[in-house]
Amino acid sequence: MNDRTLVLSLRLERVAYRERVALRDIALDIARGEIVGIAGHVGAGKSTLALAAAGLLGTSLPAAIRGSIEHPCGGRPPAAFVFANPSTQLTELGETVEEEVAVGPENQALESHEIRARVDAALELADAMALALRIPRELSGGELQRVSLASALALDAPLLVLDEPTAQLDPEAALRFVGAVRSLRERGVGVLVVEQNLEILAALADRVLLLADGALLASGAPAEVLGRVPPWDARVGGRRTGHEADRARDAQRPPHAASRAPLVRIAGLTAGYGTRDVLRDLSLDIRNGEAVAWIGRNGAGKSTLARTIMGLVPARAGNIGVGTHDLTSLPAHERARYVGLVFQDPRSQLFSRTVIEEATFGPRTLGAPREAALTQAREALRAVGLDGREKDHPGDLAPQLQRRLAIASSLASRPEFLILDEPTAGQDAEGRGFIGAALALQRSRGAAAVITHDLRFAQDECDHNVTITDGHVSHIGRISIGDDPPAR
């Protein structure tokens, strides 16, 4: 459905945060039933454009705007927004998922029967009906992302704005997401979606805008903008076929580590929350020099496994060993000498005043002299592409750079085993390359595990994949990615 009735008419001459210009000379119209994609490198202005389109910039978030933003269809609200970080979306006013999703319709003073209908329809469309009675704070990142989408859909706005909506979804959930957003066309909803996964963007969008350094670089059909060879912007890259992915993987695959001794030994591990077991008799070995990808559906237990190894979730049974050390009974702060963990949300790990202070905190806490800590920190910052940003405040970095800083901070402590939880979420091609370099550095002195739904990255950078299903290891081996989107 596309009758050219506009849900958004945006003309931005200039958008600035203090002295920094984020956008310039952007014109964008979106009609009812139209899906428009936004691509670009980290810092290109994608999220700023999304916030402006939703009417949040200059009101909820401070910015100097020169231009106009109109929502011709009106609506209460005229636009609904889904943030890249799903925890940002939660109001925490509801004890269960369905109560959380009901907050928006309740604030619209709707009748109870209409609220119920809105909530059920939104949960169904967002593939979150099975989560209705769950407690939001106990959900995985991917499950929270589906709840955030449901909360936005329940507002029944003419325009839906999505910022990195699939970053934490497993491949099957991402496919269902594509289908759900496509179905909004028939309802006359206009959609603006910011997405680093170019396969998903190509599968979704009627047209794509490519931003570079705050300005429009290209606009047109997805195949024209995303399939160009060479790509319009090397920082963003372009779509790859399955055969190209295979060649890239073979060229980049690290030296074989199968003959090396196990560094990480997990045996019979059981853990969970409250009365619910999430991990069930899980056993796994990881060899020295390996980087392995932990894959599986949202809620399968991948992040719980990482937290249990780190000591943040108590093990109910089983043993955990790293190197010559038995970690099973050690508290979390003592495990930090042997294991590093980078969470899905990097903001929970950043607290220093400068980038270099953040990166030296771990080594200094573990007893490294100042000069040695600085050497380790600078090596790690160089690996993730943040050398030259040492004096910046971590809070001033883009979320994707904050994620890379959190990786560097953990890498600088030189743990024997490093776990990265969704490290490529929201990263452009350049950022993914830096994270690959960080993994290579970690492999040279230990082992790593990457919790990810980014199967391209897993294929390119990891020795093999460990599939976790319902709290146990169901498969170990390499995967083959076809050409069908989405490739996450």
Side-chain angles (χ1 to χ4, degrees):
M1 176 178 179
N2 189 332
D3 63 5
R4 299 312 303 172
T5 299
L6 297 184
V7 295
L8 174 69
S9 180
L10 178 148
R11 302 290 183 271
L12 296 176
E13 297 177 27
R14 185 177 184 272
V15 175
Y17 301 104
R18 296 181 181 175
E19 301 302 316
R20 183 175 69 87
V21 176
L23 290 174
R24 60 185 186 279
D25 300 325
I26 301 292
L28 174 61
D29 291 336
I30 299 179
R32 295 183 64 196
E34 185 180 22
I35 302 175
V36 176
I38 305 294
H41 62 85
V42 171
K46 304 183 301 296
S47 292
T48 296
L49 178 56
L51 289 165
L56 298 177
L57 210 59
T59 53
S60 301
L61 297 169
I65 302 174
R66 183 188 303 159
S68 63
I69 303 166
E70 299 177 0
H71 299 96
C73 284
R76 300 180 48 241
F81 192 89
V82 176
F83 289 90
N85 185 341
S87 61
T88 305
Q89 199 89 12
L90 296 179
T91 66
E92 298 186 349
L93 296 175
E95 294 185 3
T96 66
V97 164
E98 64 178 6
E99 291 175 354
E100 175 70 34
V101 175
V103 169
E106 287 171 348
N107 285 339
Q108 293 174 318
L110 301 177
E111 297 289 338
S112 59
H113 68 277
E114 187 172 352
I115 293 174
R116 179 77 264 170
R118 288 262 198 105
V119 169
D120 288 346
L123 288 171
E124 183 69 31
L125 191 58
D127 190 31
M129 187 61 79
L131 306 174
L133 300 181
R134 294 278 300 277
I135 300 172
R137 64 177 176 272
E138 293 182 358
L139 299 178
S140 71
E143 290 169 333
L144 277 178
Q145 208 154 28
R146 283 145 57 190
V147 173
S148 297
L149 176 59
S151 297
L153 290 170
L155 294 172
D156 198 27
L159 174 66
L160 178 64
V161 182
L162 307 169
D163 193 356
E164 297 292 348
T166 70
Q168 296 181 40
L169 296 183
D170 64 58
E172 290 186 17
L175 279 171
R176 291 193 293 270
F177 165 82
V178 169
V181 174
R182 281 173 172 165
S183 73
L184 295 176
R185 285 191 178 110
E186 301 305 315
R187 304 181 182 206
V189 177
V191 180
L192 178 66
V193 55
V194 173
E195 180 59 67
Q196 288 290 4
N197 188 318
L198 303 187
E199 282 78 15
I200 285 181
L201 208 55
L204 268 179
D206 299 307
R207 56 190 170 99
V208 172
L209 276 63
L210 177 63
L211 301 184
D213 303 312
L216 184 64
L217 180 61
S219 175
E224 297 171 1
V225 176
L226 305 178
R228 185 175 188 264
V229 180
W232 288 94
D233 188 337
R235 293 170 292 184
V236 180
R239 295 185 64 198
R240 294 193 303 175
T241 67
H243 297 303
E244 287 170 341
D246 289 341
R247 287 195 294 271
R249 175 201 66 202
D250 293 339
Q252 299 178 37
R253 186 179 294 174
H256 191 56
S259 61
R260 302 179 187 178
L263 178 72
V264 180
R265 301 168 305 283
I266 302 167
L269 192 62
T270 298
Y273 308 94
T275 60
R276 186 170 65 94
D277 285 342
V278 177
L279 304 179
R280 301 174 179 87
D281 194 28
L282 184 148
S283 297
L284 176 66
D285 285 351
I286 299 174
R287 298 180 183 277
N288 193 30
E290 280 188 330
V292 301
W294 293 349
I295 64 176
R297 293 181 177 178
N298 297 128
K302 303 182 298 296
S303 294
T304 298
L305 174 58
R307 290 172 175 269
T308 304
I309 293 171
M310 197 69 217
L312 302 176
V313 174
R316 295 171 178 173
N319 297 284
I320 303 167
V322 174
T324 60
H325 311 284
D326 183 356
L327 307 189
T328 310
S329 59
L330 291 182
H333 69 275
E334 292 187 26
R335 299 190 194 199
R337 293 187 175 276
Y338 316 111
V339 181
L341 171 60
V342 179
F343 296 108
Q344 289 181 10
D345 184 358
R347 297 176 304 173
S348 61
Q349 293 181 259
L350 304 179
F351 49 83
S352 298
R353 293 174 297 178
T354 65
V355 165
I356 192 64
E357 286 178 12
E358 192 69 55
T360 55
F361 177 83
R364 293 300 301 273
T365 300
L366 295 177
R370 183 176 182 277
E371 287 305 315
L374 283 171
T375 298
Q376 293 172 212
R378 286 170 177 153
E379 176 190 49
L381 289 172
R382 186 165 53 252
V384 301
L386 289 178
D387 46 334
R389 307 293 296 265
E390 293 184 0
K391 295 182 180 180
D392 289 8
H393 193 290
D396 293 335
L397 300 178
Q400 297 88 345
L401 300 186
Q402 290 177 341
R403 192 178 302 275
R404 281 153 53 186
L405 174 57
I407 293 171
S409 299
S410 190
L411 194 63
S413 296
R414 297 187 174 177
E416 294 180 68
F417 182 45
L418 178 63
I419 308 172
L420 307 180
D421 199 345
E422 295 293 353
T424 63
Q427 299 289 338
D428 55 20
E430 184 178 56
R432 289 155 58 94
F434 282 126
I435 294 170
L439 272 182
L441 180 58
Q442 174 61 26
R443 292 171 57 91
S444 70
R445 56 194 182 211
V450 182
I451 300 171
T452 187
H453 299 304
D454 185 345
L455 301 185
R456 294 284 191 211
F457 185 82
Q459 187 183 48
D460 289 350
E461 303 292 349
C462 297
D463 290 282
H464 59 262
N465 307 289
V466 175
T467 303
I468 298 175
T469 305
D470 296 328
H472 67 274
V473 174
S474 60
H475 179 73
I476 297 177
R478 295 203 61 83
I479 59 171
S480 178
I481 301 174
D483 295 342
D484 293 336
R488 188 182 292 277

